[in-house]
Amino acid sequence: MKPAKLHFWILGWFSVALCCWRTSETFTQSDIRSHPWKKLYFAHHWPVTVCKMNANDCHDPPKYWTIHGLWPDRAEDCNRTWHFNVTEIKDILSDMRHYWPDVLHSSLNRTQFWKHEWDKHGTCAATLEVLNSQKKYFGKALELYQHIDLNGCLLKAGIKPSSSYYKMPAIKEALTRFYGVTPKIQCIPPEEGEKAQTIGQIEFCFTKELQLVNCVVLEGESNPMQAHFKLGTSELSVCNDTLPTYYPSEVQGHK
């Protein structure tokens, strides 16, 4: 190839490469902007209720509130190429199995639940430096769990699993008084022949600075997170203040 032709060929190749690089950069920035979020929902669920919703392989569920997930609002599945790798959280596996267990599947070796949470929510939360790796994301959730200490709060308020019913406003008041913010409480509505709803999930909201804030949705503001969570034939929704509330101690014998 003659020098002149070689010169133009190199210039042409460089221009194409530069164009592709700029296009790729623009796509990446656009992709990030397409997943904006403002706060985190930190969800605890009551394993006995989870098992009631879907028995599956659910045997002898924990009798304490466990982690369901740490969810940015307005964002899901932000990076499908950032795959879950359990070796990145090997140092915290013991705590993960205890405080963030897969309630529906009894095997300690199952990691599918954590993979789902990372793929759907962790990849979006990772825009924060304190959550920008799998170990940071899961580790920070464990840290928040200890800080919230929902189990301890409810016990101090005299709210514990019982065959008797609670009034939902009393549960809300106890949580608000303890934390200074209003969480979101979800229940299974009464099934046919039942009069009480069953408490199943409590969500706390955090700012990007990891400060607690109210979870209530202001008038005129849409709720970015799904209001309903379904397992099997049962579905969680925001609890009804007027219905008696059941806080079950066992999977069997629900009234």
Side-chain angles (χ1 to χ4, degrees):
M1 185 180 293
K2 293 183 179 180
K5 289 184 177 181
L6 178 61
H7 174 74
F8 286 115
W9 181 84
I10 292 175
L11 283 177
W13 179 88
F14 180 76
S15 298
V16 170
L18 180 62
C19 176
C20 291
W21 177 78
R22 292 300 301 173
T23 301
S24 174
E25 182 186 45
T26 302
F27 172 78
T28 302
Q29 291 174 346
S30 174
D31 190 47
I32 292 173
R33 285 196 300 269
S34 68
H35 300 289
W37 58 273
K38 295 183 178 180
K39 61 184 176 184
L40 290 162
Y41 287 80
F42 186 41
H44 299 60
H45 53 194
W46 181 240
V48 175
T49 300
V50 174
C51 287
K52 180 183 184 298
M53 294 172 70
N54 188 343
N56 204 19
D57 186 28
C58 198
H59 304 299
D60 191 25
K63 301 302 191 296
Y64 52 89
W65 290 83
T66 60
I67 300 172
H68 185 176
L70 183 62
W71 310 327
D73 65 345
R74 296 183 174 87
E76 293 181 356
D77 298 302
C78 293
N79 189 340
R80 296 180 185 273
T81 65
W82 195 352
H83 302 299
F84 175 74
N85 182 356
V86 71
T87 61
E88 293 193 24
I89 59 170
K90 63 181 186 299
D91 295 341
I92 57 174
L93 274 179
S94 178
D95 284 345
M96 288 289 294
R97 288 168 178 155
H98 186 72
Y99 301 116
W100 201 333
D102 184 343
V103 175
L104 294 178
H105 305 93
S106 57
S107 172
L108 290 178
N109 294 322
R110 286 189 63 92
T111 59
Q112 191 63 30
F113 180 37
W114 303 333
K115 177 184 183 301
H116 167 78
E117 292 299 313
W118 169 255
D119 291 348
K120 187 173 183 179
H121 305 291
T123 54
C124 302
T127 54
L128 288 187
E129 185 177 352
V130 294
L131 303 173
N132 67 0
S133 73
Q134 293 176 43
K135 185 173 183 179
K136 285 183 180 180
Y137 172 72
F138 290 107
K140 180 58 69 174
L142 291 172
E143 183 182 317
L144 292 175
Y145 177 86
Q146 297 294 343
H147 174 69
I148 291 291
D149 188 20
L150 177 59
N151 296 286
C153 166
L154 291 172
L155 284 175
K156 289 175 183 176
I159 301 170
K160 55 187 178 180
S162 172
S163 57
S164 301
Y165 297 141
Y166 290 93
K167 294 181 178 179
M168 181 49 59
I171 296 176
K172 285 184 176 180
E173 181 182 345
L175 292 173
T176 302
R177 184 171 62 248
F178 192 85
Y179 296 106
V181 295
T182 304
K184 183 169 77 172
I185 309 176
Q186 293 186 295
C187 296
I188 304 175
E191 296 179 359
E192 186 176 354
E194 296 179 342
K195 65 178 183 180
Q197 60 191 350
T198 304
I199 193 167
Q201 185 156 286
I202 299 178
E203 300 172 15
F204 294 89
C205 290
F206 288 86
T207 66
K208 286 188 172 183
E209 293 73 36
L210 300 183
Q211 299 297 312
L212 276 170
V213 292
N214 290 328
C215 279
V216 294
V217 179
L218 300 176
E219 185 177 353
E221 178 187 3
S222 61
N223 191 340
M225 296 297 296
Q226 289 184 340
H228 303 281
F229 171 67
K230 189 171 185 178
L231 274 176
T233 58
S234 300
E235 187 174 81
L236 285 173
S237 58
V238 175
C239 301
N240 188 321
D241 283 349
T242 65
L243 290 176
T245 302
Y246 183 50
Y247 185 5
S249 59
E250 301 290 342
V251 179
Q252 302 297 324
H254 180 73
K255 302 294 184 179

